[in-house]
Amino acid sequence: MTITVNHYLVLSAILFSIGLYGVLSKRNAIAILMCVELMLNAVNVAMVAFSRYVVPTILTGQIFALFIMTVAAAEAAVGLAIIISIYRNRETVNVDEFDLMKW
Amino acid sequence: MNETVFSIVFYVLAAITVVAAAAVVWVRNIFHAALFLVLTFVGVAALYITLNADFLAAVQVLIYAGAVAVLLIFAIMLTQNARMGNRSNNQRGPAILISVLVLIAVGWTVWNTVWPAAGEEPTVPTTAPIAQLLFNQYVLPFEVASVLLLVAMIGAIILARED
């Protein structure tokens, strides 16, 4: 039983589904952000697996994963700053109670 | 590396990563969830090493298990009071249904597709080739990424500042 690209892709799909479940079902905004990071990591695993097995010598997938990490770090910083700012005004981080843009 | 040893290593690392990821959405305490998220990041970094991506594994540990984890724990410390846990909202049933459907659809598709496999040996170590690519072929996206990080940093400071 040799490990192929399919094994890594199924692992990536499992991680992505766990993250998707968390994003859809969590009440705490920080938990939702954590699950988004989980989904981005799942995509990165798929990218690096393709890079290793499909184009082993030109590293395109790894460059792509590097840029995804950059964007994920920026997203985490801005997202957490927004959450802290909302907490300062509303005394809560539960997304159920963020209805300030709801008509 | 021996095929059987490699398979065992892959399955052990995959099990650790998936169990830790499931714990992130399962445990009640959000602080524990953040710690399990760090374990997931470390598991993914180990998987990168099995994929011959040594530079990315180091970056994963530095950025995710280091910076993003510290940022998340800071945010949890700043915003939680005792009654806030890691609870689910009232969409739990539909959320389970949708994620299982996505898992079946994507999992079945990727498992049954025959991907084009190049039988060549991968390049190791990858640090120097990645630097060559980043500063020659991909220099424009690299610069755009640095501007993005600058904008995100200024934005985060402005948003989180007391005024």
Side-chain angles (χ1 to χ4, degrees):
Chain A
M1 48 166 196
T2 92
I3 301 294
T4 59
V5 64
N6 300 44
H7 292 78
Y8 283 97
L9 293 179
V10 169
L11 172 72
S12 161
I14 293 171
L15 282 178
F16 188 86
S17 307
I18 293 173
L20 182 64
Y21 165 72
V23 167
L24 291 175
S25 74
K26 285 299 167 191
R27 186 171 277 175
N28 191 320
I30 297 178
I32 291 176
L33 213 60
M34 279 159 48
C35 293
V36 171
E37 298 290 332
L38 212 56
M39 291 165 83
L40 287 165
N41 259 276
V43 174
N44 271 350
V45 171
M47 289 284 178
V48 180
F50 279 129
S51 174
R52 160 70 179 82
Y53 286 99
V54 181
V55 282
T57 50
I58 60 173
L59 300 173
T60 331
Q62 295 195 24
I63 301 275
F64 220 118
L66 214 56
F67 284 118
I68 293 176
M69 278 182 189
T70 316
V71 176
E75 169 253 320
V78 175
L80 290 171
I82 291 174
I83 290 171
I84 289 171
S85 169
I86 291 178
Y87 180 77
R88 199 173 288 140
N89 292 318
R90 313 275 293 192
E91 295 291 314
T92 179
V93 287
N94 283 355
V95 283
D96 305 19
E97 296 162 48
F98 294 169
D99 52 1
L100 54 165
M101 287 180 77
K102 201 167 171 184
W103 182 58
Chain B
M1 205 190 310
N2 189 329
E3 283 291 334
T4 322
V5 177
F6 186 81
S7 305
I8 293 169
V9 168
F10 170 78
Y11 282 116
V12 168
L13 288 175
I16 291 173
T17 311
V18 169
V19 169
V24 170
V25 293
W26 186 257
V27 294
R28 290 291 176 83
N29 188 327
I30 184 141
F31 191 75
H32 294 167
L35 296 181
F36 276 115
L37 191 69
V38 176
L39 182 58
T40 314
F41 290 157
V42 174
V44 171
L47 283 166
Y48 286 163
I49 293 175
T50 67
L51 285 166
N52 298 81
D54 44 7
F55 179 71
L56 267 187
V59 169
Q60 168 89 7
V61 170
L62 281 175
I63 292 183
Y64 276 111
V68 171
V70 168
L71 216 56
L72 281 168
I73 288 169
F74 253 108
I76 290 170
M77 295 285 191
L78 284 173
T79 57
Q80 302 300 301
N81 49 38
R83 68 189 169 83
M84 286 173 196
N86 189 17
R87 289 178 309 149
S88 301
N89 58 17
N90 47 16
Q91 300 173 359
R92 199 170 183 186
I96 291 177
L97 184 70
I98 289 172
S99 38
V100 167
L101 282 179
V102 167
L103 175 60
I104 291 171
V106 178
W108 188 87
T109 313
V110 295
W111 183 253
N112 288 298
T113 307
V114 181
W115 301 100
E120 308 159 66
E121 280 299 302
T123 38
V124 276
T126 55
T127 314
I130 283 179
Q132 288 286 346
L133 283 172
L134 270 184
F135 290 105
N136 292 302
Q137 197 176 347
Y138 298 103
V139 68
L140 183 65
F142 181 80
E143 295 296 336
V144 172
S146 61
V147 173
L148 172 78
L149 281 176
L150 178 70
V151 169
M153 187 177 74
I154 295 171
I157 291 171
I158 301 247
L159 279 170
R161 182 182 63 174
E162 304 262 5
D163 46 11

